[in-house]
Structures are given as C-alpha cells and as structure tokens.
Amino acid sequence: MKKKTIAFSLAAMLAAGAAMPTAVIAQPVATGYQEALDQFDQKAIRKIDVDRIYNHIATLSEAPRVAGTEVENRAVDYLKDEFESYGYDVEVQPFTYTGYTEPTRIELNVPGLEGDLSPGNFTYGVSGDVTAGLVHAGIGSPADFDRVDAEGKIAVVQRGEFSFAEKVINASEAGAAGVIIYNNGPGALNGTLGGHDDRYIPAVSLSQEQGQALLELLEANASAEARIIVEGAETGEHTSHNVIATKHPTNKKKDTGEVIVIGSHMDSVPGAPGANDNASGTAVTLELARAMKNLPSDTEIRFASFGAEELGLIGSHHYVNALPDEEKDRIIANFNLDMVGSRDAGDLIVASVDGEPNLVTELTQKASEKLNGEPTTRGRSGSSDHVPFHQAGIPAALFIHSPLEPWYHTPQDTLDKISKEKLLDVAEIVAAAVYDRARFDNQNPKEKKRSEAHVPKEAFFEQSIR
Ligand SMILES: [Zn+2]
C-alpha cells in the first residue's frame, strides 16, 4: 500500500512538471585549483578513489536497509569488515528501540459505495478486523464525540486542528471500534500517530474526495456500515547498530586529546534502496577512513556509521548520549554526510542546526574555497545525525545537496542516479577540512566550552528536511 502511494505521488509530481530540478553538472575537480592547496590538503585528498565510493554504494543499495532488519545487519557486517580490512579497531554498538512494522494488508470495504477505496495506514496504527456502522464525528474532538453515539461504531473524522493520535484516542475513549480519518486537502494522507499507545483502535486514512463520498453515503443511509482490516502491523522492541572505526593520533606525545567524528547513517526507508539516502554518505565515510588511514595526525578521527536515523536519529542519539561528559568534551567537531551523491539534486551546502557558523562550517568553507575557488554555501538544517551532537554542544554540520532530488525516499533512489563528480567533491572537501585540524602542529585556539543546546522535536525527523 505504502509503495503504491509513493509511486502515485511521484507520478503526479512529475506529471505536474514541478519539483524536477535540472541536473547539476559538478565542476571538474581536478583542474585549476591546485596552486591553492598546501601539502597537507594534497596529502589528505591524494588517496581518495571515487570508484571505491561508487562500488560501496552499489553493494549497499542492492535492497532497502530498513533499521532492525536483516539487510541493515548485512550492512553492519559489510562496514565492520571494510573498516577492519583498512586496519582499524572497530566497535559495533547495538541499541534497542521501540519500532513499528508496517501492515501487510490494509482494506476498507463499504457496501453501497461506488468505486475502489484506497485506504492508507498510520505509522504506529494497530491491527484489527472491525465491521460496524459508520458515525460522522466532525474533526474527532471530545466535543464532537459528545454530540454523537460512537459506541461500537466506526467514526469518520476529518484531518486538522490536532494530531491524528488525539483523534484516534478520542474515538477510542468514546467507545468507537475503528476510525477513518479523511484528508482536508488534495492528495493522499500519509500520517503517523507518533508513537505507541494502548488506547489505539484500528484506523485508516482516506483522501478528501473518498471521505466526502463516505459522508454522502452516510447522509443518504444512516445505517451504512464499513469493514476495516489491518493485518501485520506491530509495535515492538527492535535492535539496530552503530559501527565506529577509530584513527588514533599517530604520535602519542603530540596527542591533543581532541576528537573529530565523521559520520553518516546506513539505514534507509522501506521500499527505497537508498543509493543516495544514505549509501552515498556511508560510502564516502568508508573511503575517507581508507584514504586517511596513514596520515600523520595529532587528533583522533572517528569514522561512524549510525543505524535507525530514519526513525528519528535513534542511532546517533544513542551514540552521543552513551558518551561520558569527558568524552563529549573531547569531541570538537561532527561532519555529518547525508545524501551527498545525487546527480539530480542541487548544489552542496553545509548546514548547521542553528544556521550559525561553527568550527565545521569554517573548516569546510576554507577547504572548499581552496579546492573549488569558492566556499561551500552555508545553510540551516536539522533532520539528520548532526542534531544530537549539536544538542550536546558539539560543533556539527550536515553535508547535503539542496534542493533534494525527486527520488528522495522512493524506490527510484538507485545507483544510476549517483554522480561520481559530486561524491568526489564532497569527499575531498571533508578530507581537507578535517585534516586542516587533525594534522600535526596546527595550533588552533581552543574551542570555547561546550554547552548543551535546545533543539525542536521536528529536527529529529529526516522528512522535516523538505
Ligand atoms: Zn538520510
């Protein structure tokens, strides 16, 4: 069901001729800039092999790497093996979270209604098989349910004013057996209940048109009935993993005690092979680990791959929160690579959560100016794994091409849309930026003391990026 909805909305978008960014041809990265690069920059980027990055993406994007699944586990093994083959000690850090399994079947049958209905699911919705009379309950507020008798019935309510979860709970507390929530604008309704609640009853979504057809039927026939079937939906404990390879300072006596984390998420959304989101960032992280392995450095560099990002930055949140305060104090920068290789996306930006410059954006702009003749544009964005670092008071930024490609979170996010030029550009910028700080004898002033930051809840969901 979900797949179908995604395919439809994409087709509609393409048919409307909107949101189809023109392909951006990246500048050739090997000409015209070399004079600006010092020996350290050259050392940092010399060993990067873009074909290796591309081949990692090919391997990782064979199937969707949904958090907590066998395919994500295979990605964990692949990353561990690769990092180890470069000579690193690798930590695989498991973590558990409450996860949701999408239903395998979802149906809505209404005798007497012409045409096929296309009900949608709400994430965290429950399974069930309910046949009952319909009742019109406005927008599903407690006052709406005071006005009608919903006991044992299926409530038909409109989207809007407050959350889907509240509507479902209000219906449940009014004694309803099921809920149909229809859209208040054009298009399909794909919603989430935000988390599990024991009071939930089976709920499906409908388009505005289909909801109105249902209400007309109910007006003509007050005893109209419906059947809701939701099968296979389940909320339960799941396990995912982070994989971290550490490059220690090459001379213990010169160890600054500082740590730079280069990170990316390995998981993808259901149905999407995730070549760009985010096999691209994962593959660049792997190749940077290989290419930078033997660089002389006075700073620790951690190459991290996080699980369960798509479910609310769960892996990176777990990683940062499991660190003792002394460890957090040592981390001076987080470079977060998320969607860094789509040929159909816009230009590279480096985005901090608060939109302010920080050590990461400064190092990045300095390196990119030397590499490309102009600094990477700064932006402002949450919605990815740099957020927990920012929240802990660590300078952090997201590398992403903006605007996003039309294949974002679709089955079309595949290898053939990947641009080697873009991958190489990002890899070189990050390598040069990190090495500017990590190399010997670079006595940058100490960063000001870390202090925790407030971030809004939506910053924890990648889809807010749109
Ligand atoms: Zn992503």
Side-chain angles (χ1 to χ4, degrees):
M1 194 59 236
K2 190 154 197 189
K3 262 188 198 163
K4 217 169 164 185
T5 314
I6 289 169
F8 169 76
S9 55
L10 182 68
M13 201 164 81
L14 295 177
M20 187 63 181
T22 43
V24 174
I25 315 295
Q27 294 299 312
V29 284
T31 52
Y33 62 88
Q34 270 99 346
E35 303 91 83
L37 299 178
D38 61 33
Q39 51 154 322
F40 300 105
D41 302 322
Q42 287 172 9
K43 252 189 184 162
I45 67 173
R46 193 174 54 201
K47 291 199 172 149
I48 296 170
D49 178 351
V50 74
D51 289 325
R52 283 176 171 272
I53 302 176
Y54 192 82
N55 292 340
H56 290 315
I57 298 175
T59 304
L60 289 166
S61 64
E62 280 166 9
R65 301 170 304 283
V66 179
T69 65
E70 206 32 57
V71 188
E72 195 201 37
N73 290 345
R74 281 211 299 274
V76 169
D77 291 342
Y78 179 75
L79 291 164
K80 181 173 185 283
D81 290 350
E82 283 294 317
F83 282 133
E84 283 177 347
S85 76
Y86 311 149
Y88 287 103
D89 284 334
V90 183
E91 184 197 355
V92 176
Q93 180 184 51
F95 56 92
T96 58
Y97 58 95
T98 304
Y100 181 69
T101 307
E102 294 278 336
T104 49
R105 178 182 176 202
I106 179 155
E107 273 180 39
L108 175 62
N109 303 312
V110 184
L113 201 65
E114 295 283 306
D116 272 350
L117 293 170
S118 47
N121 184 53
F122 291 96
T123 305
Y124 294 107
V126 295
S127 291
D129 184 342
V130 181
T131 303
L134 293 167
V135 59
H136 183 193
I139 57 164
S141 68
D144 286 322
F145 283 107
D146 281 347
R147 276 194 294 270
V148 297
D149 178 13
E151 187 68 42
K153 293 192 171 163
I154 293 173
V156 183
V157 303
Q158 192 184 42
R159 176 187 199 170
E161 296 200 28
F162 48 92
S163 73
F164 300 126
E166 285 172 89
K167 291 173 197 282
V168 175
I169 289 168
N170 291 343
S172 168
E173 301 210 311
V179 191
I180 298 166
I181 303 176
Y182 64 95
N183 213 346
N184 56 0
L189 197 178
N190 293 304
T192 175
L193 303 182
H196 178 73
D197 192 293
D198 284 337
R199 293 169 290 179
Y200 290 159
I201 50 179
V204 296
S205 69
L206 281 184
S207 68
Q208 186 173 35
E209 258 185 337
Q210 294 183 337
Q212 272 157 1
L214 208 60
L215 292 180
E216 277 164 30
L217 174 79
L218 188 55
E219 214 141 278
N221 173 15
S223 56
E225 285 197 345
R227 181 178 181 191
I228 295 176
I229 303 170
V230 181
E231 276 178 16
E234 196 223 315
T235 301
E237 279 283 289
H238 293 239
T239 301
S240 178
H241 302 83
N242 298 323
V243 182
I244 305 108
T246 300
K247 172 177 162 54
H248 297 285
T250 48
N251 181 334
K252 277 215 167 78
K253 283 188 207 130
K254 293 189 176 166
D255 184 353
T256 59
E258 296 179 339
V259 178
I260 294 174
V261 179
I262 301 174
S264 48
H265 74 87
M266 72 180 90
D267 62 311
S268 64
V269 296
N276 195 44
D277 186 11
N278 183 33
S280 66
T282 308
V284 171
T285 304
L286 272 178
E287 177 57 4
L288 290 178
R290 194 195 64 83
M292 299 177 82
K293 174 71 177 64
N294 293 315
L295 289 180
S297 56
D298 62 8
T299 300
E300 182 173 318
I301 305 174
R302 293 183 195 163
F303 301 92
S305 184
F306 301 113
E309 185 265 2
E310 298 287 358
L311 302 176
L313 319 181
I314 297 173
S316 53
H317 188 259
H318 176 83
Y319 176 76
V320 172
N321 282 287
L323 294 170
D325 270 351
E326 313 86 77
E327 275 284 291
K328 286 182 197 161
D329 290 340
R330 293 175 60 211
I331 302 177
I332 58 161
N334 167 236
F335 290 71
N336 175 34
L337 315 180
D338 193 356
M339 298 185 256
V340 293
S342 175
R343 116 199 136 182
D344 301 317
D347 288 334
L348 183 66
I349 61 165
V350 56
S352 58
V353 175
D354 56 13
E356 296 296 318
N358 60 34
L359 181 62
V360 178
T361 66
E362 281 161 14
L363 290 170
T364 299
Q365 290 199 306
K366 189 177 158 197
S368 52
E369 180 153 26
K370 286 196 273 183
L371 279 159
N372 296 335
E374 55 181 302
T376 304
T377 304
R378 282 200 301 108
R380 174 186 184 156
S381 180
S383 310
S384 188
D385 290 320
H386 57 305
V387 172
F389 289 89
H390 169 81
Q391 192 174 35
I394 297 163
L398 164 69
F399 291 75
I400 191 169
H401 292 107
S402 178
L404 292 183
E405 65 279 14
W407 326 117
Y408 172 67
H409 284 187
T410 72
Q412 288 78 33
D413 180 5
T414 45
L415 184 66
D416 54 305
K417 323 285 196 318
I418 293 294
S419 152
K420 286 189 184 178
E421 284 82 1
K422 280 188 169 166
L423 292 172
L424 183 60
D425 181 51
V426 174
E428 289 188 337
I429 290 171
V430 173
V434 167
Y435 198 49
D436 187 1
R437 182 67 187 215
R439 67 185 170 86
F440 282 128
D441 304 325
N442 188 9
Q443 303 299 333
N444 289 312
K446 283 270 177 216
E447 290 306 301
K448 66 175 193 297
K449 199 151 168 33
R450 183 176 68 80
S451 65
E452 318 246 323
H454 170 77
V455 290
K457 196 175 172 211
E458 63 267 21
F460 276 84
F461 291 93
E462 191 189 278
Q463 279 178 312
S464 317
I465 232 165
R466 284 230 129 161

